[in-house]
Amino acid sequence: MKKIIEGTGVALVTPFTADNRVDTEALVRLVDYVSTEGVEFLVALGTTSEAPTLTAEEKALVRETIIKANKKQLPLVVGIGGNNTQSVIDEIKRTDLSAFDAILSVVPYYNKPSQAGMYEHFAAIARSTELPIILYNVPGRVGVTMQAETTLRLARDFKNIVAIKEASGNMVLNMQLLRDKPEGFSVLSGDDMTALLTTYLGGKGVISVIAMAYPREFSEMIRLALKGEVAKANALHYCLMNATTLAFKEGNPAGVKAFLAERGICAPYVRLPLVAASAALTDEIKATL
């Protein structure tokens, strides 16, 4: 990787205006906010960005806005994934990725591939680019789980497969990865509630949602965990538990956008088929803040 992907990264939302356009001013505010408050890297066009609802032109606008707004020169990761292997490869080849340090690519959804299919999908992507690749296992969204054996085989077979965002919340799977991973391969939590425990067990950090709302506290928690300062890290974790639950109560990113709206960063608008957080959840979030 051109820069080290470690610590707390945030899966940036895509802010929208009342007339459903990408709100670039709000996106700049968000990048500035989380950067100033101490996160270590930024993730563009991940799940939390509502990427499936963005046009190719809007994705380019989001990438360009984040690159320009990244005044602290934090490492940048870009999401490029899907359930058509050749389309993913084509998107990687036609996209200017010179400003990005790694690609985040999700396990194919809807098709429900076998473990052999998952391996061949990521093998084809790895062969198509020299950029570092972070695998993304999120069974709750894609309908299948990439097992530890498949991830580890990919990590051993391809030098540019450098990490996994493990968002299953399955600590047994996480422990298998952490125990057996090859040297130089990183496990990043993709589940905010189990991020601290994963870091204690040998993980290198997290790609987080709630860290957008609490960037200072969450990133400090992970830094403390990486240094082995358990009591201080635990205290922050327990303080953040309620907010983390609320952020996902009505789905992501509706919850975290409600947090960000209360902080004055962006409006709470999302695109269909998602809907904004309910009045009841918004009241809970206000009380938590």
Side-chain angles (χ1 to χ4, degrees):
M1 279 181 270
K2 289 183 278 186
K3 294 179 183 175
I4 296 172
I5 306 297
E6 187 174 297
T8 297
V10 284
L12 296 165
V13 299
T14 303
F16 298 117
T17 62
D19 58 354
N20 207 29
R21 293 179 293 109
V22 173
D23 188 341
T24 54
E25 292 182 4
L27 184 53
V28 170
R29 280 197 300 273
L30 176 60
V31 171
D32 182 64
Y33 173 59
V34 297
S35 301
T36 301
E37 293 294 307
V39 305
E40 278 84 17
F41 63 98
L42 306 172
V43 180
L45 298 173
T47 300
T48 306
S49 75
E50 300 175 73
T53 72
L54 300 176
T55 66
E57 292 77 16
E58 288 174 327
K59 287 181 181 179
L61 177 61
V62 168
R63 287 193 300 269
E64 291 162 10
T65 302
I66 292 169
I67 291 167
K68 291 177 183 176
N70 183 28
K71 293 183 173 62
K72 288 187 176 290
Q73 296 298 300
L74 298 180
L76 295 177
V77 177
V78 63
I80 304 179
N83 61 349
N84 180 329
T85 307
Q86 189 58 51
S87 291
V88 175
I89 292 170
D90 292 343
E91 185 174 351
I92 290 170
K93 289 184 175 180
R94 68 172 176 261
T95 303
D96 180 2
L97 299 175
S98 57
F100 291 93
D101 299 284
I103 295 167
L104 176 68
S105 198
V106 70
V107 170
Y109 43 82
Y110 191 74
N111 309 43
K112 300 184 81 170
S114 65
Q115 297 300 305
M118 293 178 205
Y119 176 89
E120 295 299 339
H121 171 81
F122 286 119
I125 291 170
R127 293 187 190 103
S128 75
T129 180
E130 295 182 357
L131 270 174
I133 295 168
I134 302 171
L135 308 174
Y136 180 15
N137 187 39
V138 57
R141 287 189 178 271
V142 307
V144 288
T145 300
M146 186 159 67
Q147 299 298 334
E149 293 81 2
T150 304
T151 301
L152 294 168
R153 182 183 171 200
L154 286 162
R156 295 184 186 108
D157 289 354
F158 297 94
K159 290 182 179 179
N160 62 331
I161 293 181
V162 297
I164 184 167
K165 176 186 177 183
E166 181 47 65
S168 66
N170 180 341
M171 287 309 302
V172 174
L173 192 158
N174 285 7
M175 288 187 285
Q176 290 173 323
L177 290 171
L178 290 162
R179 181 190 64 190
D180 298 331
K181 68 181 183 66
E183 186 177 354
F185 183 79
S186 297
V187 176
L188 301 167
S189 176
D191 177 72
D192 285 342
M193 197 64 84
T194 59
L196 183 61
L197 182 54
T198 300
T199 306
Y200 284 154
L201 291 168
K204 291 296 184 182
V206 61
I207 296 176
S208 173
V209 173
I210 196 60
M212 268 181 293
Y214 293 88
R216 181 179 297 181
E217 295 87 349
F218 203 97
S219 56
E220 178 63 12
M221 179 187 76
I222 296 298
R223 282 191 292 270
L224 289 166
L226 288 167
K227 292 187 291 185
E229 297 188 33
V230 174
K232 291 179 181 178
N234 286 355
L236 283 169
H237 171 77
Y238 291 128
C239 284
L240 291 166
M241 278 183 66
N242 186 53
T244 301
T245 299
L246 291 178
F248 295 95
K249 189 174 183 179
E250 294 181 2
N252 179 41
V256 75
K257 279 190 170 181
F259 273 100
L260 293 170
E262 291 303 316
R263 292 210 184 274
I265 305 297
C266 69
Y269 306 120
V270 293
R271 281 185 173 172
L272 290 170
L274 301 181
V275 294
S278 66
L281 177 57
T282 301
D283 287 342
E284 288 187 87
I285 286 169
K286 287 178 182 178
T288 296
L289 284 169

